Amino acid sequence: MDSNELAKYLESTNSIAKPWLLVQLRLKKLQESRDQISEDAYANQLADIHEDLMNLGEWWRGLEEEVF
């Protein structure tokens, strides 16, 4: 699945408000652009995505049945 297909899936399943899926979309887009950007730019963007993922914390605690 490429980033366009993933984005369409997120839209069709009303998953745009699910931050962990948006992180997945960002990772897919970064993966697709890896050949066009420098190693430093790739590492910086990956670090940014990682930071955003870690900032999500454990928001899902108690909501496992709803969100997974």
PDB file of all heavy atoms in Angstrom, residues 9-46:
ATOM      1  N   TYR A   9      -7.619   5.257   2.466  1.00  0.00           N
ATOM      2  CA  TYR A   9      -8.165   4.350   3.479  1.00  0.00           C
ATOM      3  C   TYR A   9      -8.509   5.127   4.747  1.00  0.00           C
ATOM      4  O   TYR A   9      -9.585   4.943   5.329  1.00  0.00           O
ATOM      5  CB  TYR A   9      -7.163   3.237   3.792  1.00  0.00           C
ATOM      6  CG  TYR A   9      -7.560   2.425   4.997  1.00  0.00           C
ATOM      7  CD1 TYR A   9      -8.540   1.439   4.891  1.00  0.00           C
ATOM      8  CD2 TYR A   9      -6.974   2.645   6.244  1.00  0.00           C
ATOM      9  CE1 TYR A   9      -8.928   0.709   5.992  1.00  0.00           C
ATOM     10  CE2 TYR A   9      -7.353   1.913   7.349  1.00  0.00           C
ATOM     11  CZ  TYR A   9      -8.329   0.948   7.219  1.00  0.00           C
ATOM     12  OH  TYR A   9      -8.721   0.230   8.318  1.00  0.00           O
ATOM     13  N   LEU A  10      -7.595   5.992   5.185  1.00  0.00           N
ATOM     14  CA  LEU A  10      -7.848   6.776   6.394  1.00  0.00           C
ATOM     15  C   LEU A  10      -9.082   7.654   6.230  1.00  0.00           C
ATOM     16  O   LEU A  10      -9.888   7.784   7.163  1.00  0.00           O
ATOM     17  CB  LEU A  10      -6.626   7.627   6.743  1.00  0.00           C
ATOM     18  CG  LEU A  10      -5.360   6.869   7.140  1.00  0.00           C
ATOM     19  CD1 LEU A  10      -4.220   7.843   7.413  1.00  0.00           C
ATOM     20  CD2 LEU A  10      -5.596   5.963   8.317  1.00  0.00           C
ATOM     21  N   GLU A  11      -9.233   8.246   5.066  1.00  0.00           N
ATOM     22  CA  GLU A  11     -10.406   9.080   4.802  1.00  0.00           C
ATOM     23  C   GLU A  11     -11.685   8.246   4.777  1.00  0.00           C
ATOM     24  O   GLU A  11     -12.693   8.626   5.358  1.00  0.00           O
ATOM     25  CB  GLU A  11     -10.245   9.823   3.487  1.00  0.00           C
ATOM     26  CG  GLU A  11      -9.227  10.931   3.538  1.00  0.00           C
ATOM     27  CD  GLU A  11      -9.012  11.599   2.192  1.00  0.00           C
ATOM     28  OE1 GLU A  11      -9.546  11.120   1.175  1.00  0.00           O
ATOM     29  OE2 GLU A  11      -8.281  12.602   2.161  1.00  0.00           O
ATOM     30  N   SER A  12     -11.638   7.109   4.097  1.00  0.00           N
ATOM     31  CA  SER A  12     -12.856   6.307   3.941  1.00  0.00           C
ATOM     32  C   SER A  12     -13.295   5.649   5.249  1.00  0.00           C
ATOM     33  O   SER A  12     -14.473   5.343   5.414  1.00  0.00           O
ATOM     34  CB  SER A  12     -12.661   5.242   2.856  1.00  0.00           C
ATOM     35  OG  SER A  12     -11.740   4.263   3.283  1.00  0.00           O
ATOM     36  N   THR A  13     -12.370   5.432   6.164  1.00  0.00           N
ATOM     37  CA  THR A  13     -12.720   4.820   7.442  1.00  0.00           C
ATOM     38  C   THR A  13     -12.834   5.857   8.560  1.00  0.00           C
ATOM     39  O   THR A  13     -12.927   5.494   9.735  1.00  0.00           O
ATOM     40  CB  THR A  13     -11.684   3.749   7.841  1.00  0.00           C
ATOM     41  OG1 THR A  13     -10.397   4.364   7.948  1.00  0.00           O
ATOM     42  CG2 THR A  13     -11.664   2.609   6.848  1.00  0.00           C
ATOM     43  N   ASN A  14     -12.829   7.117   8.187  1.00  0.00           N
ATOM     44  CA  ASN A  14     -12.936   8.219   9.145  1.00  0.00           C
ATOM     45  C   ASN A  14     -11.865   8.111  10.230  1.00  0.00           C
ATOM     46  O   ASN A  14     -12.134   8.284  11.411  1.00  0.00           O
ATOM     47  CB  ASN A  14     -14.337   8.256   9.764  1.00  0.00           C
ATOM     48  CG  ASN A  14     -14.680   9.618  10.302  1.00  0.00           C
ATOM     49  OD1 ASN A  14     -14.122  10.622   9.874  1.00  0.00           O
ATOM     50  ND2 ASN A  14     -15.608   9.664  11.237  1.00  0.00           N
ATOM     51  N   SER A  15     -10.645   7.819   9.805  1.00  0.00           N
ATOM     52  CA  SER A  15      -9.530   7.609  10.731  1.00  0.00           C
ATOM     53  C   SER A  15      -8.560   8.776  10.781  1.00  0.00           C
ATOM     54  O   SER A  15      -7.490   8.655  11.386  1.00  0.00           O
ATOM     55  CB  SER A  15      -8.780   6.336  10.335  1.00  0.00           C
ATOM     56  OG  SER A  15      -9.614   5.209  10.422  1.00  0.00           O
ATOM     57  N   ILE A  16      -8.919   9.880  10.178  1.00  0.00           N
ATOM     58  CA  ILE A  16      -8.038  11.050  10.150  1.00  0.00           C
ATOM     59  C   ILE A  16      -7.737  11.543  11.566  1.00  0.00           C
ATOM     60  O   ILE A  16      -6.667  12.080  11.822  1.00  0.00           O
ATOM     61  CB  ILE A  16      -8.660  12.178   9.294  1.00  0.00           C
ATOM     62  CG1 ILE A  16      -8.794  11.731   7.847  1.00  0.00           C
ATOM     63  CG2 ILE A  16      -7.871  13.465   9.382  1.00  0.00           C
ATOM     64  CD1 ILE A  16      -7.489  11.443   7.145  1.00  0.00           C
ATOM     65  N   ALA A  17      -8.644  11.339  12.491  1.00  0.00           N
ATOM     66  CA  ALA A  17      -8.458  11.818  13.865  1.00  0.00           C
ATOM     67  C   ALA A  17      -7.663  10.841  14.725  1.00  0.00           C
ATOM     68  O   ALA A  17      -7.498  11.071  15.921  1.00  0.00           O
ATOM     69  CB  ALA A  17      -9.815  12.090  14.506  1.00  0.00           C
ATOM     70  N   LYS A  18      -7.163   9.764  14.139  1.00  0.00           N
ATOM     71  CA  LYS A  18      -6.385   8.786  14.897  1.00  0.00           C
ATOM     72  C   LYS A  18      -4.899   9.079  14.691  1.00  0.00           C
ATOM     73  O   LYS A  18      -4.329   8.764  13.650  1.00  0.00           O
ATOM     74  CB  LYS A  18      -6.731   7.371  14.443  1.00  0.00           C
ATOM     75  CG  LYS A  18      -8.183   7.023  14.722  1.00  0.00           C
ATOM     76  CD  LYS A  18      -8.532   5.655  14.218  1.00  0.00           C
ATOM     77  CE  LYS A  18      -9.993   5.347  14.526  1.00  0.00           C
ATOM     78  NZ  LYS A  18     -10.395   4.054  13.988  1.00  0.00           N
ATOM     79  N   PRO A  19      -4.269   9.692  15.690  1.00  0.00           N
ATOM     80  CA  PRO A  19      -2.896  10.176  15.509  1.00  0.00           C
ATOM     81  C   PRO A  19      -1.885   9.084  15.196  1.00  0.00           C
ATOM     82  O   PRO A  19      -0.925   9.326  14.472  1.00  0.00           O
ATOM     83  CB  PRO A  19      -2.575  10.879  16.823  1.00  0.00           C
ATOM     84  CG  PRO A  19      -3.594  10.407  17.794  1.00  0.00           C
ATOM     85  CD  PRO A  19      -4.795   9.990  17.017  1.00  0.00           C
ATOM     86  N   TRP A  20      -2.072   7.889  15.706  1.00  0.00           N
ATOM     87  CA  TRP A  20      -1.104   6.820  15.423  1.00  0.00           C
ATOM     88  C   TRP A  20      -1.147   6.414  13.957  1.00  0.00           C
ATOM     89  O   TRP A  20      -0.142   6.014  13.401  1.00  0.00           O
ATOM     90  CB  TRP A  20      -1.329   5.620  16.346  1.00  0.00           C
ATOM     91  CG  TRP A  20      -2.637   4.923  16.139  1.00  0.00           C
ATOM     92  CD1 TRP A  20      -2.850   3.821  15.356  1.00  0.00           C
ATOM     93  CD2 TRP A  20      -3.896   5.276  16.689  1.00  0.00           C
ATOM     94  NE1 TRP A  20      -4.181   3.465  15.394  1.00  0.00           N
ATOM     95  CE2 TRP A  20      -4.842   4.339  16.212  1.00  0.00           C
ATOM     96  CE3 TRP A  20      -4.330   6.278  17.544  1.00  0.00           C
ATOM     97  CZ2 TRP A  20      -6.192   4.392  16.559  1.00  0.00           C
ATOM     98  CZ3 TRP A  20      -5.668   6.322  17.886  1.00  0.00           C
ATOM     99  CH2 TRP A  20      -6.572   5.397  17.399  1.00  0.00           C
ATOM    100  N   LEU A  21      -2.305   6.561  13.312  1.00  0.00           N
ATOM    101  CA  LEU A  21      -2.392   6.265  11.883  1.00  0.00           C
ATOM    102  C   LEU A  21      -1.786   7.388  11.047  1.00  0.00           C
ATOM    103  O   LEU A  21      -1.217   7.139   9.984  1.00  0.00           O
ATOM    104  CB  LEU A  21      -3.837   5.996  11.477  1.00  0.00           C
ATOM    105  CG  LEU A  21      -4.442   4.718  12.061  1.00  0.00           C
ATOM    106  CD1 LEU A  21      -5.908   4.591  11.657  1.00  0.00           C
ATOM    107  CD2 LEU A  21      -3.660   3.493  11.637  1.00  0.00           C
ATOM    108  N   LEU A  22      -1.895   8.612  11.524  1.00  0.00           N
ATOM    109  CA  LEU A  22      -1.254   9.726  10.821  1.00  0.00           C
ATOM    110  C   LEU A  22       0.267   9.595  10.889  1.00  0.00           C
ATOM    111  O   LEU A  22       0.958   9.932   9.927  1.00  0.00           O
ATOM    112  CB  LEU A  22      -1.717  11.060  11.401  1.00  0.00           C
ATOM    113  CG  LEU A  22      -3.200  11.364  11.193  1.00  0.00           C
ATOM    114  CD1 LEU A  22      -3.579  12.676  11.873  1.00  0.00           C
ATOM    115  CD2 LEU A  22      -3.556  11.389   9.722  1.00  0.00           C
ATOM    116  N   VAL A  23       0.780   9.071  11.994  1.00  0.00           N
ATOM    117  CA  VAL A  23       2.210   8.802  12.097  1.00  0.00           C
ATOM    118  C   VAL A  23       2.603   7.759  11.055  1.00  0.00           C
ATOM    119  O   VAL A  23       3.619   7.885  10.372  1.00  0.00           O
ATOM    120  CB  VAL A  23       2.593   8.345  13.522  1.00  0.00           C
ATOM    121  CG1 VAL A  23       4.000   7.779  13.561  1.00  0.00           C
ATOM    122  CG2 VAL A  23       2.462   9.493  14.503  1.00  0.00           C
ATOM    123  N   GLN A  24       1.773   6.744  10.914  1.00  0.00           N
ATOM    124  CA  GLN A  24       2.040   5.705   9.920  1.00  0.00           C
ATOM    125  C   GLN A  24       2.056   6.294   8.510  1.00  0.00           C
ATOM    126  O   GLN A  24       2.906   5.949   7.690  1.00  0.00           O
ATOM    127  CB  GLN A  24       0.976   4.620  10.032  1.00  0.00           C
ATOM    128  CG  GLN A  24       1.309   3.361   9.324  1.00  0.00           C
ATOM    129  CD  GLN A  24       0.314   2.258   9.665  1.00  0.00           C
ATOM    130  OE1 GLN A  24      -0.701   2.463  10.317  1.00  0.00           O
ATOM    131  NE2 GLN A  24       0.610   1.071   9.191  1.00  0.00           N
ATOM    132  N   LEU A  25       1.139   7.212   8.230  1.00  0.00           N
ATOM    133  CA  LEU A  25       1.106   7.863   6.925  1.00  0.00           C
ATOM    134  C   LEU A  25       2.366   8.696   6.711  1.00  0.00           C
ATOM    135  O   LEU A  25       2.967   8.654   5.633  1.00  0.00           O
ATOM    136  CB  LEU A  25      -0.146   8.737   6.804  1.00  0.00           C
ATOM    137  CG  LEU A  25      -0.303   9.507   5.504  1.00  0.00           C
ATOM    138  CD1 LEU A  25      -0.367   8.576   4.298  1.00  0.00           C
ATOM    139  CD2 LEU A  25      -1.537  10.406   5.562  1.00  0.00           C
ATOM    140  N   ARG A  26       2.782   9.430   7.720  1.00  0.00           N
ATOM    141  CA  ARG A  26       4.013  10.219   7.600  1.00  0.00           C
ATOM    142  C   ARG A  26       5.219   9.333   7.339  1.00  0.00           C
ATOM    143  O   ARG A  26       6.091   9.671   6.531  1.00  0.00           O
ATOM    144  CB  ARG A  26       4.235  11.047   8.864  1.00  0.00           C
ATOM    145  CG  ARG A  26       3.269  12.210   9.005  1.00  0.00           C
ATOM    146  CD  ARG A  26       3.463  12.945  10.297  1.00  0.00           C
ATOM    147  NE  ARG A  26       4.785  13.566  10.356  1.00  0.00           N
ATOM    148  CZ  ARG A  26       5.343  13.973  11.484  1.00  0.00           C
ATOM    149  NH1 ARG A  26       4.732  13.847  12.634  1.00  0.00           N
ATOM    150  NH2 ARG A  26       6.544  14.527  11.458  1.00  0.00           N
ATOM    151  N   LEU A  27       5.287   8.192   8.025  1.00  0.00           N
ATOM    152  CA  LEU A  27       6.395   7.257   7.798  1.00  0.00           C
ATOM    153  C   LEU A  27       6.382   6.720   6.376  1.00  0.00           C
ATOM    154  O   LEU A  27       7.430   6.597   5.743  1.00  0.00           O
ATOM    155  CB  LEU A  27       6.314   6.091   8.786  1.00  0.00           C
ATOM    156  CG  LEU A  27       6.793   6.372  10.192  1.00  0.00           C
ATOM    157  CD1 LEU A  27       6.442   5.201  11.110  1.00  0.00           C
ATOM    158  CD2 LEU A  27       8.277   6.644  10.215  1.00  0.00           C
ATOM    159  N   LYS A  28       5.204   6.412   5.861  1.00  0.00           N
ATOM    160  CA  LYS A  28       5.092   5.880   4.498  1.00  0.00           C
ATOM    161  C   LYS A  28       5.544   6.934   3.488  1.00  0.00           C
ATOM    162  O   LYS A  28       6.282   6.637   2.559  1.00  0.00           O
ATOM    163  CB  LYS A  28       3.651   5.446   4.235  1.00  0.00           C
ATOM    164  CG  LYS A  28       3.452   4.803   2.891  1.00  0.00           C
ATOM    165  CD  LYS A  28       4.431   3.696   2.674  1.00  0.00           C
ATOM    166  CE  LYS A  28       3.851   2.355   2.588  1.00  0.00           C
ATOM    167  NZ  LYS A  28       4.867   1.359   2.168  1.00  0.00           N
ATOM    168  N   LYS A  29       5.118   8.184   3.687  1.00  0.00           N
ATOM    169  CA  LYS A  29       5.511   9.253   2.776  1.00  0.00           C
ATOM    170  C   LYS A  29       7.021   9.486   2.838  1.00  0.00           C
ATOM    171  O   LYS A  29       7.663   9.714   1.816  1.00  0.00           O
ATOM    172  CB  LYS A  29       4.745  10.535   3.100  1.00  0.00           C
ATOM    173  CG  LYS A  29       3.266  10.434   2.740  1.00  0.00           C
ATOM    174  CD  LYS A  29       2.498  11.682   3.083  1.00  0.00           C
ATOM    175  CE  LYS A  29       2.484  12.689   2.012  1.00  0.00           C
ATOM    176  NZ  LYS A  29       2.015  12.335   0.715  1.00  0.00           N
ATOM    177  N   LEU A  30       7.592   9.404   4.038  1.00  0.00           N
ATOM    178  CA  LEU A  30       9.039   9.559   4.180  1.00  0.00           C
ATOM    179  C   LEU A  30       9.762   8.420   3.473  1.00  0.00           C
ATOM    180  O   LEU A  30      10.742   8.643   2.766  1.00  0.00           O
ATOM    181  CB  LEU A  30       9.424   9.609   5.657  1.00  0.00           C
ATOM    182  CG  LEU A  30      10.903   9.778   5.962  1.00  0.00           C
ATOM    183  CD1 LEU A  30      11.459  11.069   5.364  1.00  0.00           C
ATOM    184  CD2 LEU A  30      11.142   9.726   7.468  1.00  0.00           C
ATOM    185  N   GLN A  31       9.271   7.220   3.641  1.00  0.00           N
ATOM    186  CA  GLN A  31       9.871   6.057   2.980  1.00  0.00           C
ATOM    187  C   GLN A  31       9.865   6.249   1.459  1.00  0.00           C
ATOM    188  O   GLN A  31      10.852   5.958   0.791  1.00  0.00           O
ATOM    189  CB  GLN A  31       9.085   4.803   3.352  1.00  0.00           C
ATOM    190  CG  GLN A  31       9.589   3.541   2.697  1.00  0.00           C
ATOM    191  CD  GLN A  31       8.677   2.355   2.995  1.00  0.00           C
ATOM    192  OE1 GLN A  31       7.489   2.514   3.235  1.00  0.00           O
ATOM    193  NE2 GLN A  31       9.261   1.174   2.982  1.00  0.00           N
ATOM    194  N   GLU A  32       8.776   6.748   0.933  1.00  0.00           N
ATOM    195  CA  GLU A  32       8.657   6.946  -0.513  1.00  0.00           C
ATOM    196  C   GLU A  32       9.579   8.047  -1.034  1.00  0.00           C
ATOM    197  O   GLU A  32       9.983   8.022  -2.196  1.00  0.00           O
ATOM    198  CB  GLU A  32       7.205   7.261  -0.881  1.00  0.00           C
ATOM    199  CG  GLU A  32       6.275   6.094  -0.674  1.00  0.00           C
ATOM    200  CD  GLU A  32       4.813   6.456  -0.810  1.00  0.00           C
ATOM    201  OE1 GLU A  32       4.484   7.649  -0.965  1.00  0.00           O
ATOM    202  OE2 GLU A  32       3.989   5.533  -0.750  1.00  0.00           O
ATOM    203  N   SER A  33       9.912   9.005  -0.196  1.00  0.00           N
ATOM    204  CA  SER A  33      10.754  10.118  -0.648  1.00  0.00           C
ATOM    205  C   SER A  33      12.228   9.922  -0.289  1.00  0.00           C
ATOM    206  O   SER A  33      13.044  10.807  -0.556  1.00  0.00           O
ATOM    207  CB  SER A  33      10.253  11.430  -0.054  1.00  0.00           C
ATOM    208  OG  SER A  33      10.456  11.453   1.342  1.00  0.00           O
ATOM    209  N   ARG A  34      12.568   8.802   0.278  1.00  0.00           N
ATOM    210  CA  ARG A  34      13.929   8.580   0.770  1.00  0.00           C
ATOM    211  C   ARG A  34      14.991   8.771  -0.311  1.00  0.00           C
ATOM    212  O   ARG A  34      16.068   9.300  -0.051  1.00  0.00           O
ATOM    213  CB  ARG A  34      14.052   7.186   1.360  1.00  0.00           C
ATOM    214  CG  ARG A  34      15.369   6.983   2.067  1.00  0.00           C
ATOM    215  CD  ARG A  34      15.426   5.698   2.827  1.00  0.00           C
ATOM    216  NE  ARG A  34      16.629   5.689   3.648  1.00  0.00           N
ATOM    217  CZ  ARG A  34      16.906   4.755   4.514  1.00  0.00           C
ATOM    218  NH1 ARG A  34      16.075   3.759   4.687  1.00  0.00           N
ATOM    219  NH2 ARG A  34      18.008   4.815   5.219  1.00  0.00           N
ATOM    220  N   ASP A  35      14.719   8.358  -1.522  1.00  0.00           N
ATOM    221  CA  ASP A  35      15.692   8.483  -2.609  1.00  0.00           C
ATOM    222  C   ASP A  35      15.888   9.921  -3.085  1.00  0.00           C
ATOM    223  O   ASP A  35      16.893  10.226  -3.715  1.00  0.00           O
ATOM    224  CB  ASP A  35      15.277   7.627  -3.808  1.00  0.00           C
ATOM    225  CG  ASP A  35      15.329   6.136  -3.492  1.00  0.00           C
ATOM    226  OD1 ASP A  35      16.047   5.741  -2.551  1.00  0.00           O
ATOM    227  OD2 ASP A  35      14.642   5.376  -4.190  1.00  0.00           O
ATOM    228  N   GLN A  36      14.947  10.793  -2.785  1.00  0.00           N
ATOM    229  CA  GLN A  36      15.016  12.169  -3.265  1.00  0.00           C
ATOM    230  C   GLN A  36      15.560  13.161  -2.242  1.00  0.00           C
ATOM    231  O   GLN A  36      15.742  14.332  -2.561  1.00  0.00           O
ATOM    232  CB  GLN A  36      13.632  12.669  -3.706  1.00  0.00           C
ATOM    233  CG  GLN A  36      13.100  12.018  -4.958  1.00  0.00           C
ATOM    234  CD  GLN A  36      12.248  10.795  -4.656  1.00  0.00           C
ATOM    235  OE1 GLN A  36      11.586  10.756  -3.633  1.00  0.00           O
ATOM    236  NE2 GLN A  36      12.282   9.807  -5.529  1.00  0.00           N
ATOM    237  N   ILE A  37      15.793  12.726  -1.012  1.00  0.00           N
ATOM    238  CA  ILE A  37      16.268  13.655   0.013  1.00  0.00           C
ATOM    239  C   ILE A  37      17.614  13.180   0.562  1.00  0.00           C
ATOM    240  O   ILE A  37      17.982  12.018   0.425  1.00  0.00           O
ATOM    241  CB  ILE A  37      15.241  13.822   1.156  1.00  0.00           C
ATOM    242  CG1 ILE A  37      14.972  12.487   1.853  1.00  0.00           C
ATOM    243  CG2 ILE A  37      13.954  14.439   0.647  1.00  0.00           C
ATOM    244  CD1 ILE A  37      14.053  12.587   3.054  1.00  0.00           C
ATOM    245  N   SER A  38      18.317  14.100   1.191  1.00  0.00           N
ATOM    246  CA  SER A  38      19.630  13.760   1.748  1.00  0.00           C
ATOM    247  C   SER A  38      19.469  12.878   2.992  1.00  0.00           C
ATOM    248  O   SER A  38      18.394  12.819   3.594  1.00  0.00           O
ATOM    249  CB  SER A  38      20.384  15.035   2.127  1.00  0.00           C
ATOM    250  OG  SER A  38      19.769  15.646   3.248  1.00  0.00           O
ATOM    251  N   GLU A  39      20.560  12.234   3.362  1.00  0.00           N
ATOM    252  CA  GLU A  39      20.539  11.388   4.563  1.00  0.00           C
ATOM    253  C   GLU A  39      20.229  12.216   5.803  1.00  0.00           C
ATOM    254  O   GLU A  39      19.510  11.756   6.690  1.00  0.00           O
ATOM    255  CB  GLU A  39      21.871  10.666   4.733  1.00  0.00           C
ATOM    256  CG  GLU A  39      22.075   9.544   3.745  1.00  0.00           C
ATOM    257  CD  GLU A  39      23.365   8.772   4.006  1.00  0.00           C
ATOM    258  OE1 GLU A  39      23.757   8.635   5.198  1.00  0.00           O
ATOM    259  OE2 GLU A  39      23.959   8.309   3.027  1.00  0.00           O
ATOM    260  N   ASP A  40      20.768  13.432   5.856  1.00  0.00           N
ATOM    261  CA  ASP A  40      20.502  14.301   7.006  1.00  0.00           C
ATOM    262  C   ASP A  40      19.034  14.696   7.075  1.00  0.00           C
ATOM    263  O   ASP A  40      18.437  14.677   8.157  1.00  0.00           O
ATOM    264  CB  ASP A  40      21.373  15.561   6.946  1.00  0.00           C
ATOM    265  CG  ASP A  40      22.838  15.275   7.250  1.00  0.00           C
ATOM    266  OD1 ASP A  40      23.126  14.223   7.863  1.00  0.00           O
ATOM    267  OD2 ASP A  40      23.684  16.102   6.870  1.00  0.00           O
ATOM    268  N   ALA A  41      18.460  15.060   5.948  1.00  0.00           N
ATOM    269  CA  ALA A  41      17.049  15.433   5.912  1.00  0.00           C
ATOM    270  C   ALA A  41      16.180  14.245   6.311  1.00  0.00           C
ATOM    271  O   ALA A  41      15.214  14.389   7.067  1.00  0.00           O
ATOM    272  CB  ALA A  41      16.658  15.940   4.532  1.00  0.00           C
ATOM    273  N   TYR A  42      16.538  13.070   5.816  1.00  0.00           N
ATOM    274  CA  TYR A  42      15.794  11.859   6.162  1.00  0.00           C
ATOM    275  C   TYR A  42      15.864  11.606   7.669  1.00  0.00           C
ATOM    276  O   TYR A  42      14.846  11.369   8.325  1.00  0.00           O
ATOM    277  CB  TYR A  42      16.350  10.651   5.394  1.00  0.00           C
ATOM    278  CG  TYR A  42      15.655   9.363   5.727  1.00  0.00           C
ATOM    279  CD1 TYR A  42      14.460   9.021   5.113  1.00  0.00           C
ATOM    280  CD2 TYR A  42      16.189   8.485   6.669  1.00  0.00           C
ATOM    281  CE1 TYR A  42      13.817   7.830   5.421  1.00  0.00           C
ATOM    282  CE2 TYR A  42      15.547   7.303   6.979  1.00  0.00           C
ATOM    283  CZ  TYR A  42      14.360   6.980   6.351  1.00  0.00           C
ATOM    284  OH  TYR A  42      13.717   5.810   6.670  1.00  0.00           O
ATOM    285  N   ALA A  43      17.069  11.685   8.226  1.00  0.00           N
ATOM    286  CA  ALA A  43      17.251  11.441   9.660  1.00  0.00           C
ATOM    287  C   ALA A  43      16.490  12.471  10.491  1.00  0.00           C
ATOM    288  O   ALA A  43      15.876  12.121  11.510  1.00  0.00           O
ATOM    289  CB  ALA A  43      18.729  11.461  10.011  1.00  0.00           C
ATOM    290  N   ASN A  44      16.512  13.734  10.071  1.00  0.00           N
ATOM    291  CA  ASN A  44      15.788  14.783  10.796  1.00  0.00           C
ATOM    292  C   ASN A  44      14.286  14.547  10.765  1.00  0.00           C
ATOM    293  O   ASN A  44      13.600  14.692  11.779  1.00  0.00           O
ATOM    294  CB  ASN A  44      16.116  16.159  10.228  1.00  0.00           C
ATOM    295  CG  ASN A  44      17.521  16.598  10.551  1.00  0.00           C
ATOM    296  OD1 ASN A  44      18.133  16.119  11.514  1.00  0.00           O
ATOM    297  ND2 ASN A  44      18.064  17.496   9.742  1.00  0.00           N
ATOM    298  N   GLN A  45      13.771  14.193   9.597  1.00  0.00           N
ATOM    299  CA  GLN A  45      12.332  13.945   9.484  1.00  0.00           C
ATOM    300  C   GLN A  45      11.925  12.708  10.275  1.00  0.00           C
ATOM    301  O   GLN A  45      10.873  12.692  10.923  1.00  0.00           O
ATOM    302  CB  GLN A  45      11.931  13.806   8.017  1.00  0.00           C
ATOM    303  CG  GLN A  45      11.989  15.124   7.265  1.00  0.00           C
ATOM    304  CD  GLN A  45      11.555  14.967   5.822  1.00  0.00           C
ATOM    305  OE1 GLN A  45      10.709  14.149   5.505  1.00  0.00           O
ATOM    306  NE2 GLN A  45      12.134  15.766   4.943  1.00  0.00           N
ATOM    307  N   LEU A  46      12.757  11.685  10.242  1.00  0.00           N
ATOM    308  CA  LEU A  46      12.473  10.473  11.004  1.00  0.00           C
ATOM    309  C   LEU A  46      12.473  10.774  12.505  1.00  0.00           C
ATOM    310  O   LEU A  46      11.610  10.306  13.246  1.00  0.00           O
ATOM    311  CB  LEU A  46      13.489   9.389  10.668  1.00  0.00           C
ATOM    312  CG  LEU A  46      13.226   8.014  11.266  1.00  0.00           C
ATOM    313  CD1 LEU A  46      11.870   7.470  10.843  1.00  0.00           C
ATOM    314  CD2 LEU A  46      14.335   7.054  10.857  1.00  0.00           C
TER     315      LEU A  46
END
